[in-house]
């Protein structure tokens, strides 16, 4: 086999399809956000960020940064190993206690990322429960899909947010088989909520376990930012909640929260937990501080709500198609990966607006988008300027103007 040709051909195929990804170098200086400096060929230039997942800007909160620095001075940078081999500090244990309390669950378990938390938990759970059948929303995140596939368990995919379809599939399944329903509370690429109460109702009816990815909700929704399940008062009906430390909490790492038996089981059996080094103690400490601050950050949460409404109003006023929702994620729809990349490049190069294009496989083909995320640090004049730049870019590229374009995720 000619290995070189193989890799070259595969990359060329990707480029020909318009699906090749490029990165821009953006340094988010802590005193500038949402402005940042783009580093290009030895030069810096100021740009404005419109696609960060540092939703509450906690990564740059002075108290969070100071906590991280203090613990580095105390314990150094690395954790020293896996959790089993010298990688469990008092900060790791403290963080798990803090997460369990946040979600009103008995226990929590921290992983190096929410990706590994999803993948390892689902795969080991479903590999070991004989005859389990999995029911997964068609827009579930890649980490959930990886977990399902790795488990080799039988699975069915229900139409996105379609409770009737889920019911139909559950009805068809073996009534005595163990079951697991997997969904997200707010879908990452469309910002739409799942019909969680109805899903929980079906889970009870068919005696299924429930697994909920709250990665884009924790810190932002529910009492003290404890997520959508808590907002709906149904945390007790969700068996396993998954969240991240890397988005609203602004750090690094992921976790699951559940009853202590499930957590002990995953802790004891999941290779993705056992055989990898733990997060740095400084990160665990900064996460605890960030969660403490986020719990009482009602003003910031309100600001996000107001800012996202302003953006939606602005986009409506210039007739640019976007997916309508009530969250902090505002997906602007652009036809095709090439156009999507073109407008993203134009916005950055000519207007200093940084917003990455999103295309397959992150979203289905034909549903390319600019995924706008709003933070409390964006001001009214930033939003006005953003809308005006989108308007100009739309004109320059002669893109179609229409409201509520019909993508399947809107159904
Ligand atoms: C829905 C969802 N789940 C899980 C993850 C993984 O999170 P992490 O960045 O902590 O690995 C992401 C990442 O963006 C996500 O969107």
């Amino acid at each position: 086999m000619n290995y070189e040709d193989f890799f070259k051909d595969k990359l060329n195929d990707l480029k020909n399809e318009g699906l090749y990804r490029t990165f821009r170098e953006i340094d988010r200086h802590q005193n500038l956000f949402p402005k940042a400096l783009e580093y290009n060929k030895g030069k810096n230039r100021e740009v404005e960020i419109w696609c960060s997942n540092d939703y509450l800007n906690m990564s740059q909160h002075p108290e969070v940064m100071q906590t991280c620095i203090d613990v580095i001075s105390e314990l150094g940078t690395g954790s020293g190993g896996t959790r089993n081999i010298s990688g469990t500090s008092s900060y790791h244990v403290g963080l798990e206690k803090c997460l369990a309390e946040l979600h009103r669950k008995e226990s929590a378990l921290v992983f190096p990322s929410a990706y590994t938390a999803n993948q390892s938990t689902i795969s080991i759970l479903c590999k070991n429960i004989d005859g389990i059948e999995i029911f997964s929303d068609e827009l579930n995140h890649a980490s959930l899909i990886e977990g399902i596939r790795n488990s080799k368990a039988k699975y069915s995919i229900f139409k996105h947010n379609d409770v009737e379809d889920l019911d139909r599939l559950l009805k068809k399944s073996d009534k005595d088989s163990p079951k697991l329903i997997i969904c997200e509370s707010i879908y990452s690429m469309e910002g739409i909520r799942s019909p969680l109460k109805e899903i929980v109702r079906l889970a009870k009816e068919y005696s299924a376990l429930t697994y909920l990815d709250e990665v884009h909700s924790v810190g932002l929704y529910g009492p003290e930012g404890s997520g959508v399940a808590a907002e709906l008062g149904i945390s007790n009906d969700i068996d396993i909640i998954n969240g991240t430390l890397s988005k609203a909490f602004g750090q690094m790492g992921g976790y699951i929260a559940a009853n202590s038996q499930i957590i002990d089981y995953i802790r004891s059996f999941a290779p993705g937990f056992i055989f990898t080094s733990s997060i740095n103690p400084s990160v665990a400490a900064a996460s605890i501080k960030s969660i403490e601050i986020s719990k009482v950050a009602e003003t910031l949460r309100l600001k996000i709500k107001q800012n996202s409404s302003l953006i939606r109003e602005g986009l409506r006023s210039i007739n640019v198609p976007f997916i309508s929702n009530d969250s902090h994620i505002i997906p602007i729809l652009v036809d095709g990966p090439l156009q999507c990349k073109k407008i993203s490049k134009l916005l950055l190069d000519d207007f200093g607006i940084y917003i990455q294009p999103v295309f397959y496989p992150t979203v289905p083909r034909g549903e390319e988008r600019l995924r706008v995320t709003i933070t409390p640090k964006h001001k009214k004049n930033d939003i006005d300027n953003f809308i005006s730049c989108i308007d100009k870019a739309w004109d320059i590229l002669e893109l179609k103007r229409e409201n509520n374009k019909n993508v399947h995720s809107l159904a």
Side-chain angles (χ1 to χ4, degrees):
M1 177 175 178
N2 186 327
Y3 297 110
E4 243 176 67
D5 279 356
F6 172 83
F7 296 122
K8 207 162 62 193
D9 290 348
K10 286 286 172 202
L11 286 168
N12 280 338
D13 289 349
L14 202 65
K15 285 178 187 165
N16 291 338
E17 271 197 273
L19 300 178
Y20 185 71
R21 289 161 195 252
T22 53
F23 304 144
R24 305 282 291 238
E25 295 172 43
I26 307 285
D27 290 343
R28 299 184 313 123
H29 289 252
Q30 52 95 6
N31 52 351
L32 287 182
F33 191 82
K35 300 265 191 291
L37 298 181
E38 183 188 20
Y39 182 80
N40 192 4
K41 298 185 186 124
K43 283 200 191 134
N44 278 329
R45 119 189 137 99
E46 197 171 89
V47 299
E48 192 165 74
I49 300 193
W50 285 90
C51 56
S52 172
N53 284 338
D54 187 9
Y55 297 135
L56 294 171
N57 199 225
M58 281 297 151
S59 78
Q60 298 175 333
H61 192 289
E63 286 178 53
V64 175
M65 289 194 304
Q66 193 55 53
T67 303
C68 196
I69 293 164
D70 289 348
V71 175
I72 287 176
S73 310
E74 192 190 348
L75 299 190
T77 50
S79 77
T82 64
R83 286 291 295 276
N84 200 32
I85 303 174
S86 91
T88 299
S89 71
S90 58
Y91 297 105
H92 293 89
V93 175
L95 175 58
E96 286 171 345
K97 189 165 172 284
C98 165
L99 290 165
E101 276 166 17
L102 179 73
H103 291 289
R104 304 256 195 282
K105 293 282 183 198
E106 287 172 3
S107 270
L109 194 66
V110 170
F111 291 73
S113 70
Y115 191 103
T116 46
N118 277 339
Q119 196 212 39
S120 330
T121 304
I122 293 171
S123 77
I124 200 65
L125 201 69
C126 298
K127 207 175 262 175
N128 290 359
I129 301 181
D130 255 0
I132 194 164
E133 292 188 47
I134 306 172
F135 300 84
S136 171
D137 186 285
E138 74 176 310
L139 289 193
N140 271 344
H141 188 255
S143 53
L144 300 164
I145 297 169
E146 278 290 296
I148 295 168
R149 287 197 181 135
N150 291 351
S151 77
K152 307 229 163 36
K154 184 176 173 189
Y155 66 89
S156 310
I157 295 173
F158 59 93
K159 287 190 199 138
H160 177 49
N161 274 351
D162 188 332
V163 185
E164 275 174 30
D165 198 40
L166 174 59
D167 192 18
R168 181 184 65 81
L169 292 168
L170 284 162
K171 232 180 231 130
K172 260 183 26 186
S173 66
D174 175 354
K175 86 172 173 18
D176 295 322
S177 71
K179 299 174 182 59
L180 173 67
I181 302 176
I182 305 175
C183 65
E184 300 178 22
S185 54
I186 292 189
Y187 281 86
S188 57
M189 289 298 142
E190 56 172 21
I192 291 180
R193 286 162 181 250
S194 53
L196 214 47
K197 276 194 168 169
E198 289 147 81
I199 289 174
V200 160
R201 182 183 53 76
L202 286 180
K204 282 187 182 157
E205 188 179 330
Y206 291 91
S207 301
L209 288 169
T210 44
Y211 188 103
L212 180 65
D213 177 320
E214 293 246 42
V215 159
H216 294 275
S217 323
V218 285
L220 298 181
Y221 303 94
E224 299 184 322
S226 54
V228 170
E231 184 181 275
L232 298 172
I234 54 171
S235 296
N236 279 345
D237 298 318
I238 306 291
D239 294 291
I240 303 176
I241 292 179
N242 160 266
T244 188
L245 302 169
S246 73
K247 302 193 194 306
F249 299 137
Q251 311 307 310
M252 185 81 212
Y255 62 90
I256 53 167
N259 73 33
S260 38
Q261 243 161 15
I262 292 181
I263 293 297
D264 203 21
Y265 180 86
I266 302 299
R267 187 187 73 83
S268 307
F269 288 97
F273 174 79
I274 298 172
F275 297 107
T276 189
S277 293
S278 59
I279 59 170
N280 297 343
S282 54
V283 174
S287 300
I288 297 173
K289 178 55 79 182
S290 172
I291 293 166
E292 279 168 13
I293 298 170
S294 306
K295 276 183 164 184
V296 291
E298 284 316 323
T299 324
L300 300 184
R301 283 187 273 276
L302 183 64
K303 188 82 190 142
I304 287 183
K305 216 175 167 168
Q306 290 164 343
N307 276 352
S308 50
S309 296
L310 283 177
I311 295 186
R312 280 188 281 271
E313 267 169 39
L315 291 174
R316 255 181 223 116
S317 73
I318 57 171
N319 251 352
V320 160
F322 65 98
I323 297 179
S324 188
N325 59 43
D326 63 354
S327 74
H328 60 290
I329 298 166
I330 302 153
I332 299 180
L333 300 163
V334 185
D335 266 338
L338 291 174
Q339 286 287 45
C340 199
K341 281 192 203 177
K342 218 188 240 179
I343 191 163
S344 164
K345 186 169 178 335
L346 175 75
L347 283 165
L348 188 56
D349 291 344
D350 291 12
F351 300 101
I353 297 284
Y354 174 59
I355 174 159
Q356 280 291 84
V358 180
F359 45 83
Y360 182 83
T362 311
V363 293
R365 290 177 201 274
E367 296 189 16
E368 296 74 20
R369 62 198 65 175
L370 300 172
R371 177 181 176 271
V372 180
T373 48
I374 191 72
T375 74
K377 290 254 170 114
H378 289 93
K379 304 263 179 331
K380 168 86 169 67
N381 57 341
D382 294 325
I383 294 172
D384 291 344
N385 177 54
F386 173 77
I387 297 293
S388 150
C389 294
I390 292 278
D391 195 24
K392 285 180 196 146
W394 226 257
D395 272 348
I396 294 169
L397 296 180
E398 298 178 351
L399 299 179
K400 257 192 277 169
R401 307 236 176 203
E402 53 185 315
N403 268 333
N404 293 329
K405 187 181 167 212
N406 216 5
V407 294
H408 90 275
S409 46
L410 272 177

